[in-house]
Amino acid sequence: MIKPDAVANQHTGKIIDDILGAGFKIIAMKYVHLSDAMAEGFYAVHRERPFFKDLVSFMTSGPIVAAILEKDNAVEDFRKLIGATNPANAEEGTIRKKYAKSIDANAIHGSDSNENAEIEGNYFFSQFERF
Ligand code: CMP
């Protein structure tokens, strides 16, 4: 998911280029402005964390781009491509190093396991929206 900061700062095209350049195939993609309920549901695992309210408020501040991607070893390779959650700790050349400003406005989200990729993909896309 390309987050509201990256969309607002017109980094969407460059980020999609980076993703395709790294060998990922786009299976589905949509541009959407999340409601509070959608953002809260997506990040439900973080409900009890102190940053939850700020996270939901940020994620509903503007449109995002959600996508399902495909590649061998996709979860691990995507996490390498995007870099550390806090852009201050992200390696040179990663998406967060290039485009993120802070731990909240960190440009992009990637699923942390195959299981969560399935859950998160199903959260945004029906079976009719995938090839
Ligand atoms: P993301 O990978 O989308 O998953 C949860 C998000 O919460 C994370 O990226 C950050 O943008 C945000 N966040 C804010 N504060 C923290 C924190 N202390 N630890 C982890 N994530 C945080």
Side-chain angles (χ1 to χ4, degrees):
M1 175 163 47
I2 303 175
K3 296 192 181 185
D5 57 315
V7 173
N9 292 326
Q10 303 188 346
H11 292 142
T12 303
K14 286 171 282 186
I15 290 174
I16 292 171
D17 249 8
D18 286 354
I19 292 169
L20 294 173
F24 291 86
K25 182 176 168 193
I26 297 171
I27 301 297
M29 182 169 267
K30 69 170 59 161
Y31 182 89
V32 57
H33 195 146
L34 297 180
S35 63
D36 283 357
M38 273 294 274
E40 285 167 7
F42 185 81
Y43 280 122
V45 289
H46 295 306
R47 217 172 15 233
E48 306 303 331
R49 307 285 289 273
F51 57 81
F52 184 68
K53 221 173 147 211
D54 287 344
L55 177 61
V56 169
S57 159
F58 172 67
M59 291 305 298
T60 56
S61 66
I64 59 99
V65 176
I68 297 178
L69 305 173
E70 187 176 277
K71 185 183 182 298
D72 287 344
N73 203 37
V75 167
E76 197 184 328
D77 286 358
F78 195 71
R79 291 179 81 75
K80 275 190 202 137
L81 176 69
I82 70 180
T85 304
N86 187 343
N89 303 327
E91 280 185 42
E92 248 356 283
T94 60
I95 289 174
R96 283 172 172 155
K97 183 71 182 184
K98 290 196 278 187
Y99 306 118
K101 297 271 186 298
S102 67
I103 194 164
D104 287 311
N106 68 349
I108 193 158
H109 166 84
S111 304
D112 64 3
S113 65
N114 287 340
E115 192 191 12
N116 281 337
E118 187 71 29
I119 293 168
E120 293 177 357
N122 288 335
Y123 196 77
F124 279 110
F125 300 95
S126 77
Q127 60 178 308
F128 306 108
E129 293 173 308
R130 306 169 185 214
F131 291 99

